[in-house]
Amino acid sequence: MTAAFGDALAQSNLDTKALTRIGTGNEVDGDLFTLVKGDLSGIQDFIHQVRSQDEAQERFAKRTRGRSLQLWLLTESIARYLLMKFDLPSSSLIWSGGGQFYAVVPPNSHLTIEEFEREVNEWLLDRFGVDLLLVVGTAT
């Protein structure tokens, strides 16, 4: 957590005086960092999706494990793409799992986050149709 906050502060637009105030425990004006939450929606339907009744019975457990792995890899990839977009190290990713991730990014990046969400959703739509969607929220 300390590394994530430090990386976000290092890339923020704060001057040396403001950073010194933070280091001494004093308050500063403005946001210090942004917490980003990404959430894949449509996971349950995606995992349990079957095309026919015969397919529903054949290799159900194997198919479910495979789709769960696919979703885990997809969530990790999307989170890493966010970090790459903001030029942040992997320590800025606080948590990733279950189709969700949390990351700490510099405070002045709201427009880029909207652009990131749009790009990822366009890719998801192209690859998976309307089965999966990324919802991104921020808190400062």
Side-chain angles (χ1 to χ4, degrees):
M1 293 292 292
T2 303
F5 294 135
D7 290 329
L9 286 174
Q11 291 193 19
S12 68
N13 292 332
L14 296 174
D15 58 9
T16 306
K17 188 176 183 179
L19 290 173
T20 303
R21 288 181 54 82
I22 293 169
T24 58
N26 295 318
E27 292 184 22
V28 294
D29 294 331
D31 298 327
L32 301 178
F33 58 86
T34 300
L35 178 66
V36 177
K37 178 186 179 185
D39 187 2
L40 281 173
S41 66
I43 290 176
Q44 291 298 319
D45 290 340
F46 178 77
I47 290 176
H48 300 292
Q49 180 183 44
V50 291
R51 291 184 174 81
S52 68
Q53 216 170 23
D54 293 335
E55 184 182 305
Q57 306 221 348
E58 285 183 23
R59 301 183 192 114
F60 178 75
K62 185 182 248 186
R63 186 175 53 252
T64 302
R65 282 191 306 270
R67 287 185 182 166
S68 294
L69 175 64
Q70 183 180 13
L71 285 170
W72 176 75
L73 290 170
L74 184 62
T75 304
E76 284 290 318
S77 299
I78 292 171
R80 302 276 175 195
Y81 181 63
L82 175 76
L83 296 179
M84 183 185 76
K85 200 100 165 111
F86 290 101
D87 195 29
L88 294 169
S90 60
S91 60
S92 294
L93 182 62
I94 297 173
W95 185 77
S96 176
Q100 299 178 351
F101 65 86
Y102 290 89
V104 175
V105 300
N108 50 354
S109 53
H110 293 289
L111 292 176
T112 310
I113 290 172
E114 291 171 1
E115 178 184 312
F116 162 78
E117 183 178 13
R118 183 186 46 76
E119 284 179 18
V120 171
N121 279 323
E122 285 175 1
W123 183 84
L124 288 172
L125 182 63
D126 185 47
R127 174 66 176 89
F128 299 102
V130 294
D131 292 339
L132 294 174
L133 174 72
L134 179 70
V135 179
V136 178
T138 60
T140 53

